[in-house]
């Protein structure tokens, strides 16, 4: 499973790249707004830092407007993936973009039916939002299983990108189901490393190492 960061914060991206763990980045208008920086400045900096796919979101609601924004975004780099909301106009735009060879990510997906439509529009990625479903007492991960089954039934090539991830168990469950990508906030990525027994084990090894005679380091 590929690991993407869901952020507009370039310091976080730099850190994840440094760890050698980052396969791509997803952004949205909320995440870019959080940076307080101009959109194009942020987008270009992310594209310079990341070799893998970088999702940048359109904001128009009509197909024509989406296409105009998408073509402009695609000019920014070969690894740009244009994020388009799941609406009839959005899917009209995604069909055109797919035939133009522009990669797309259908966002704000909350049902198996929407995921089916995204795949039929030949989207490169579909982004089901697991955390926001959990927030309203629905089962976000159950949606991922259903999409996985539907895509398997018909051999759709659209990649399942698990989004709105809130904690490490979302990541583990996404991997168990076999999602293609999991995008997560930086704090969730950091938590993936952690286990109290690892910290305890390191403390003990370091303490015992001091007892070893003639240590070479
Ligand atoms: O990028 C889309 C998605 O990951 C948003 O997550 O936490 O705002 O529901 P969240």
């Amino acid at each position: 499973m590929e690991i993407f960061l869901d952020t507009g914060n370039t310091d976080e991206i730099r850190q994840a790249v440094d760890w050698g763990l980052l396969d791509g980045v997803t952004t949205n208008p909320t995440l870019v707004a959080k940076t307080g920086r101009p959109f194009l400045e942020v987008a270009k900096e992310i594209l310079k830092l990341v070799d893998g796919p970088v999702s940048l979101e359109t904001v128009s609601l009509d197909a024509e407007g989406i296409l105009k924004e998408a073509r402009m975004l695609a000019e920014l780099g070969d690894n740009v993936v244009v994020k388009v909301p799941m609406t009839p106009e959005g899917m009209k735009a995604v069909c055109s973009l797919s035939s133009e060879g522009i990669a797309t990510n259908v966002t704000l997906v909350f049902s198996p039916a929407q995921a089916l439509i995204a795949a039929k529009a030949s989207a490169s990625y579909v982004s089901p939002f697991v955390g926001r479903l959990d927030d309203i007492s629905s089962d976000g991960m159950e949606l991922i299983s259903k999409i996985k089954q539907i895509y398997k039934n018909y051999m759709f090539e659209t990649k399942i990108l698990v989004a709105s991830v809130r904690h490490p168990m979302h990541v583990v469950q996404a991997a168990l189901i076999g999602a293609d990508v999991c995008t997560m906030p930086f704090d969730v990525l950091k938590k993936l490393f952690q286990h109290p027994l690892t910290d305890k084990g390191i403390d003990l090894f370091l303490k015992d190492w001091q007892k070893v005679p003639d240590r070479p380091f």
Side-chain angles (χ1 to χ4, degrees):
M1 183 173 73
E2 292 191 309
I3 291 183
F4 287 11
L5 263 190
D6 197 26
T7 188
N9 183 320
T10 47
D11 290 334
E12 295 176 351
I13 294 170
R14 218 170 268 115
Q15 177 67 83
V17 169
D18 195 47
W19 286 331
L21 279 178
L22 196 66
D23 297 308
V25 168
T26 50
T27 65
N28 62 36
T30 306
L31 294 170
V32 177
K34 267 190 201 159
T35 69
R37 299 172 58 197
F39 172 72
L40 283 177
E41 187 184 293
V42 175
K44 285 176 185 170
E45 194 176 330
I46 296 174
L47 288 162
K48 227 183 252 172
L49 289 169
V50 181
D51 288 332
V54 175
S55 285
L56 303 172
E57 192 157 337
T58 55
V59 291
S60 280
L61 296 179
D62 61 302
E64 207 181 309
I66 293 169
L67 284 172
K68 208 168 142 199
E69 291 171 11
R71 289 174 187 136
M72 195 206 99
L73 292 172
E75 287 290 309
L76 297 176
D78 291 342
N79 50 341
V80 169
V81 176
V82 177
K83 220 168 163 185
V84 180
M86 161 48 70
T87 61
E89 285 293 299
M91 294 315 95
K92 185 175 162 187
V94 167
C95 285
S96 300
L97 293 168
S98 306
S99 61
E100 287 175 36
I102 294 177
T104 54
N105 175 357
V106 174
T107 189
L108 291 165
V109 166
F110 295 96
S111 76
Q114 290 178 319
L116 175 62
I117 294 294
K120 291 201 60 87
S122 301
S124 317
Y125 297 90
V126 66
S127 287
F129 279 30
V130 293
R132 291 192 198 183
L133 279 171
D134 291 354
D135 287 345
I136 58 157
S137 307
S138 227
D139 187 342
M141 295 316 300
E142 193 186 314
L143 171 62
I144 305 303
S145 298
K146 286 182 177 169
I147 298 173
K148 179 80 187 168
Q149 182 65 56
I150 291 168
Y151 284 12
K152 193 175 160 211
N153 288 350
Y154 299 102
M155 290 182 286
F156 283 123
E157 286 175 13
T158 301
K159 289 186 174 175
I160 303 171
L161 189 160
V162 178
S164 186
V165 161
R166 302 279 161 79
H167 48 69
M169 281 314 289
H170 275 152
V171 182
V172 172
Q173 286 162 350
L176 285 170
I177 293 167
D180 300 285
V181 187
C182 190
T183 190
M184 64 201 75
F186 188 60
D187 72 301
V188 174
L189 177 64
K190 280 193 293 186
K191 283 180 188 163
L192 296 184
F193 291 91
Q194 294 166 5
H195 197 287
L197 290 180
T198 304
D199 299 337
K200 203 175 157 194
I202 288 173
D203 283 350
L204 183 64
F205 286 155
L206 291 183
K207 221 197 258 156
D208 288 342
W209 180 243
Q210 298 307 312
K211 300 174 193 160
V212 176
D214 294 331
R215 298 183 299 276
F217 47 82

